[in-house]
Amino acid sequence: MKSSQKVTQNLPNTKIKKVLMLMRHAEKVIKTGKIPKCGKYDSELTKHGIDQSYMCGKTFISQLEKYNISKISPSEILIISSPYMRTLQTATHFLRGIDSKNFYDKNDMNKLYNISIEYGVREILNKNKYKEDIPKNYLNFLYNPNFDDFDQELKKLKFNILKNYEFSTEKESKDECYIRCKKYVDEVLVNYGKNDEYKIIVIISHGGPIKYIMRALGYNIELFHGHKVMFSDQYYFDISQGIMNAKYIEKISSY
């Protein structure tokens, strides 16, 4: 593990070339009266969760400006989402918040956002606690005008869906989830950091996988201002020297 000295809130003095941000999805609807664990339900966001996602997008731009990053193309931002309703909704409203800040060069006409839907960052399906009944139609809301959260402003955004992994219902233990996330970092995420195609990489996932991705990067979640990943928590890393040399910058909470 990297030392705790590297887990302090040290903001950069020099310009950061590339940023990785890990974010848990926003507040979701609780369908049972109890908090469901480990992906038992494909819950949508609450109204507060939609607002959280939007405000996180606006806050994200402020963070980039603080890191001396400004005026980039939408095509240089990669949003990686777990294939769940709540993460995909978080991603779309997060981008709506970014778009509202007029962050881009007005001469840049390439307003195409990249959302990559990736199995590697999906929620843990804990075989020791639940027998999940996971629905198969995760992507329907992207094309369904009947969803309330698809207002006119959101429909104006342009999306490029880069990947659509078939969702597996294979159960996992926590150790198996870590192995899957470590493999994802080593075999997929590392490749996104090898060139300058993307200046900003955002992973919108779930509490467990975020902890395990951070562990794969060499950071222990217990060193980060509390060990629980709450709704909309955001962890920022400087990946100017590549994914495997990620340097923690700071944690931002929306509450």
Side-chain angles (χ1 to χ4, degrees):
M1 293 294 178
K2 297 181 181 179
S3 67
S4 59
Q5 283 79 9
K6 292 187 178 181
V7 193
T8 55
Q9 201 166 12
N10 293 325
L11 300 183
N13 295 319
T14 59
K15 185 174 181 178
I16 293 177
K17 296 179 181 179
K18 298 182 71 174
V19 166
L20 169 68
M21 191 264 273
L22 307 180
M23 177 181 175
R24 189 184 176 194
H25 60 81
E27 183 183 82
K28 64 184 177 181
V29 173
I30 306 301
K31 294 188 175 181
T32 63
K34 298 180 180 179
I35 298 177
K37 296 180 179 179
C38 301
K40 187 176 182 182
Y41 301 103
D42 190 23
S43 301
E44 64 272 19
L45 295 184
T46 64
K47 176 61 170 62
H48 178 61
I50 291 173
D51 293 341
Q52 275 183 319
S53 305
Y54 177 76
M55 292 306 299
C56 283
K58 297 181 73 171
T59 302
F60 182 68
I61 296 305
S62 300
Q63 292 300 114
L64 295 183
E65 291 170 341
K66 185 166 64 175
Y67 306 154
N68 298 313
I69 296 176
S70 61
K71 299 302 179 185
I72 61 175
S73 167
S75 63
E76 294 177 306
I77 298 177
L78 174 63
I79 307 292
I80 298 169
S81 175
S82 163
Y84 277 84
M85 184 74 72
R86 56 190 180 273
T87 46
L88 286 164
Q89 285 180 316
T90 298
T92 51
H93 289 289
F94 177 82
L95 284 175
R96 187 164 64 93
I98 290 179
D99 200 70
S100 71
K101 291 286 286 186
N102 193 25
F103 182 63
Y104 308 107
D105 188 337
K106 292 181 179 179
N107 295 320
D108 176 16
M109 301 304 293
N110 184 19
K111 305 258 322 187
L112 185 67
Y113 296 97
N114 299 310
I115 299 182
S116 186
I117 300 164
E118 307 212 351
Y119 164 83
V121 301
R122 69 143 163 93
E123 175 68 292
I124 180 175
L125 301 182
N126 195 318
K127 62 186 178 183
N128 297 321
K129 292 185 178 180
Y130 290 104
K131 295 180 180 178
E132 288 84 359
D133 180 17
I134 302 298
K136 304 289 186 179
N137 59 342
Y138 294 96
L139 302 183
N140 284 357
F141 89 96
L142 287 173
Y143 314 103
N144 187 345
N146 295 322
F147 273 87
D148 293 338
D149 59 357
F150 262 70
D151 55 27
Q152 293 301 314
E153 184 176 4
L154 183 57
K155 289 178 182 177
K156 293 177 183 177
L157 295 180
K158 296 179 181 178
F159 297 104
N160 178 26
I161 304 297
L162 299 179
K163 291 183 176 67
N164 177 9
Y165 282 83
E166 182 178 352
F167 192 85
S168 171
T169 57
E170 180 182 357
K171 310 299 189 294
E172 294 177 310
S173 66
K174 291 183 179 180
D175 288 340
E176 288 168 339
C177 183
Y178 169 69
I179 291 170
R180 184 243 301 169
C181 291
K182 179 68 165 61
K183 182 178 180 181
Y184 175 80
V185 169
D186 292 343
E187 297 182 4
V188 180
L189 188 60
V190 68
N191 291 321
Y192 291 135
K194 286 182 177 179
N195 55 50
D196 292 330
E197 180 180 4
Y198 302 114
K199 299 294 192 298
I200 310 297
I201 300 173
V202 176
I203 296 179
I204 300 178
S205 184
H206 312 265
I210 285 175
K211 291 193 292 185
Y212 296 141
I213 290 170
M214 290 173 68
R215 185 191 299 178
L217 294 174
Y219 290 93
N220 189 332
I221 189 69
E222 293 184 0
L223 299 175
F224 286 77
H225 319 295
H227 65 280
K228 290 185 177 180
V229 182
M230 307 300 291
F231 290 140
S232 297
D233 274 356
Q234 303 148 61
Y235 298 86
Y236 288 84
F237 295 84
D238 177 1
I239 55 169
S240 301
Q241 303 303 315
I243 293 293
M244 301 315 296
N245 294 308
K247 297 179 180 178
Y248 173 70
I249 303 174
E250 62 182 321
K251 171 186 173 181
I252 303 296
S253 297
S254 63
Y255 49 88

